Amino acid sequence: MSTGYVWQEIYGWHDTGTAAGAAYANPMAGIQPLRHFESAESKKRLHELVAVSGLLDQLERLPVEPATQEQLELVHTPEYVARIRAESQLPKGGDAGDGFTPFGQGGYDIACLAAGGAIAALAAVAEGRVRNAYALVRPIGHHALPDMGMGFCIFANIAIAIRVLQARDRARRVAVVDWDVHHGNGTQAIFSEDPSVLTISIHQDSYFPPDSGHRHERGSGAGEGTALNVPLPPGSGVGAYLHTIEQVVAPALRAFQPDLVVVASGFDANACDPLGRMMLTAAGFRSMTAMLLEVAADVCDGRVAFVHEGGYSEAYVPFCGLAVMEELAGAKTGVEDPYHHLFDGMGYQGLQPHQADAIAAAAALPIPSPG
Ligand code: 9RB
Ligand code: ZN
C-alpha cells in the first residue's frame, strides 16, 4: 500500500497580504510593508522538492473536495462560517478574528479546500486505501476555535476531519500529536470535553497563544485527562524532542489505544525558523516520524495521517518535510539535507537537564485507557 499525498496549487494563492510579519503595515507608525510571516513560499517549495526529488511519483496523490458547510459546522458555529464566507466575497477579503489572520478574496473557498485536504488524508488512511498520508494544506488549522480564527488559522482542519470520520463511523478513538512549535490550542479546546480524542501538543513553553499550553491543562468533564501538553524550554533540540516522543508521546498512545493517529505537522521547531526558538533538524523530524510509525504499527495497524501546520523557513522546511514524507513512504530520494553539517552539530542538540525535567513532569501525567 502507498502513502497518500495532498497538495492543491490554489493553497499557494491564499493571500495573507502585505503585512509586516504578523503586524499590519503602517508607514505612519514606522511599520514598512513587507510580507506576512505566513507566506506560501515554504509550502510551495516543499511541494516542488517532493516533485523534483521524484518522491511524488511514489506517492498516491489524493483528490480533494472542499469541506461542505455542514462539515465545517461539525466544529464551527454557523455564524462564524457565514462571516468568513461574507468577508471572503469582498475585494479586500477580511480577517478570521484576531487581526493576525488575514485572507484575500476567495479565502473562504481556499480554507474549505484545506479542511477538505485534511478530510481526504484522514479518510484515505482510516478506510485503508493508503498506508499513511501527508496533507500539505494551507491555511493551517490548529489555533482555530469554533467561533474564531487566530494565529494564521481559519478553519480547524484536523478537528473537522476527525469529526467527519467519527460521523461516518470510520474512527472512534483518535489521537492528535502536534509538534508545531506553537501550542495546538484550537484542537485542544474543540476536544477538551471529549473522551474519544486525545490531544498531545509539544511546543515552545509560553509562546503562542500567550498563556496557553500549560502542563496543567488536561481537558475537562468527560474529557478530563485527554489533553496532554509538553511545554519545552526554548533551545530544545533533537535530543529533547526524541526523548519527548519516547517518554511521553509513545506511552500515551499505547495507553490511549487510538484507532488513528493524526500528526499536526508544523516545521517551525526547526533550527532556522524565524518564529520558533528550537533546533530541530531534518534528521530529527525523520526520527520522530519513524518512532511514531513504530508505535502506530503496534496500536492501530500503522494508521497515521499527517496534516501540515506552521513552518516559515523557506530554505529549510522543504528538507524537513521531505524527510518526513520519505519516512512515511519508506523511500529514499537521494536528496540530502544541505544544512545538516550546520544544524546536526549545533551545541546543545543533546538532551539538557532542564529539558529532561520538563519532559519527566509531562511523562508523569496519567492518560485514560479505553473502557
Ligand atoms: C501578537 C502578534 C502571531 C505570531 C505568530 C503566530 C504563529 C502561528 C503559527 C501567530 C500569531 C503580534 C499576538 C505581531 O505558526 N502557528 O502554528 N501574532 N503576533 N502582535 N500581537 C499582539
Ligand atoms: Zn506554529
Side-chain angles (χ1 to χ4, degrees), residues 156-178:
N157 303 324
I158 289 175
I160 292 164
I162 291 172
R163 285 293 186 230
V164 168
L165 285 200
Q166 288 182 324
R168 292 178 186 164
D169 217 12
R170 291 293 192 179
R172 291 207 169 85
R173 296 169 73 80
V174 181
V176 181
V177 179
D178 186 327

Side-chain angles (χ1 to χ4, degrees), residues 22-23 100 140 142-143 151-152 180 182 208 268 275 310 312:
F100 308 105
I140 64 173
H142 70 152
H143 298 308
F152 320 160
D180 186 282
H182 304 96
F208 186 86
D268 39 15
L275 296 182
Y312 309 101

Side-chain angles (χ1 to χ4, degrees), residues 6-276:
V6 168
W7 167 254
Q8 300 279 302
E9 270 64 24
I10 204 169
Y11 291 156
W13 295 9
H14 164 53
D15 185 5
T16 47
T18 55
Y24 279 97
N26 181 355
M28 304 324 291
I31 307 172
Q32 183 179 358
L34 182 68
R35 277 173 299 127
H36 196 276
F37 282 131
E38 205 295 302
S39 79
E41 208 61 24
S42 65
K43 281 110 178 161
K44 279 190 189 172
R45 288 171 59 92
L46 171 51
H47 169 69
E48 290 180 16
L49 182 57
V50 169
V52 168
S53 67
L55 186 63
L56 188 56
D57 300 331
Q58 302 183 57
L59 304 175
E60 183 172 333
R61 189 99 176 237
L62 299 172
V64 179
E65 296 289 333
T68 63
Q69 185 180 332
E70 191 187 351
Q71 290 173 332
L72 299 177
E73 291 177 4
L74 292 171
V75 167
H76 296 286
T77 63
E79 295 74 21
Y80 174 64
V81 174
R83 179 174 76 75
I84 300 299
R85 194 189 316 110
E87 287 184 18
S88 167
Q89 283 159 11
L90 304 172
K92 286 187 169 172
D95 187 284
D98 62 349
F100 308 105
T101 311
F103 56 87
Q105 191 167 28
Y108 173 81
D109 303 84
I110 303 176
C112 287
L113 210 55
I119 295 169
L122 268 69
V125 172
E127 292 165 13
R129 286 183 275 118
V130 294
R131 180 173 43 169
N132 50 42
Y134 197 101
L136 176 51
V137 299
R138 179 173 180 262
I140 64 173
H142 70 152
H143 298 308
L145 298 168
D147 61 351
M148 187 185 138
M150 63 184 287
F152 320 160
C153 302
I154 300 178
F155 296 133
N157 303 324
I158 289 175
I160 292 164
I162 291 172
R163 285 293 186 230
V164 168
L165 285 200
Q166 288 182 324
R168 292 178 186 164
D169 217 12
R170 291 293 192 179
R172 291 207 169 85
R173 296 169 73 80
V174 181
V176 181
V177 179
D178 186 327
W179 68 34
D180 186 282
V181 83
H182 304 96
H183 177 226
N185 65 298
T187 322
Q188 174 179 299
I190 290 159
F191 297 113
S192 175
E193 297 183 15
D194 185 340
S196 72
V197 180
L198 172 67
T199 60
I200 307 175
S201 180
I202 312 164
H203 46 268
Q204 185 178 321
D205 195 349
S206 302
Y207 182 21
F208 186 86
D211 199 23
S212 181
H214 303 294
R215 238 175 0 242
H216 62 74
E217 298 169 21
R218 297 298 330 270
S220 56
E224 180 73 42
T226 61
L228 181 58
N229 286 292
V230 193
L232 292 177
S236 294
V238 175
Y241 274 89
L242 298 189
H243 195 66
T244 300
I245 303 289
E246 184 191 275
Q247 295 294 314
V248 185
V249 178
L253 294 177
R254 290 183 195 282
F256 188 74
Q257 294 283 317
D259 308 314
L260 170 71
V261 174
V262 182
V263 179
S265 180
F267 290 103
D268 39 15
N270 85 50
C272 65
D273 191 272
L275 296 182

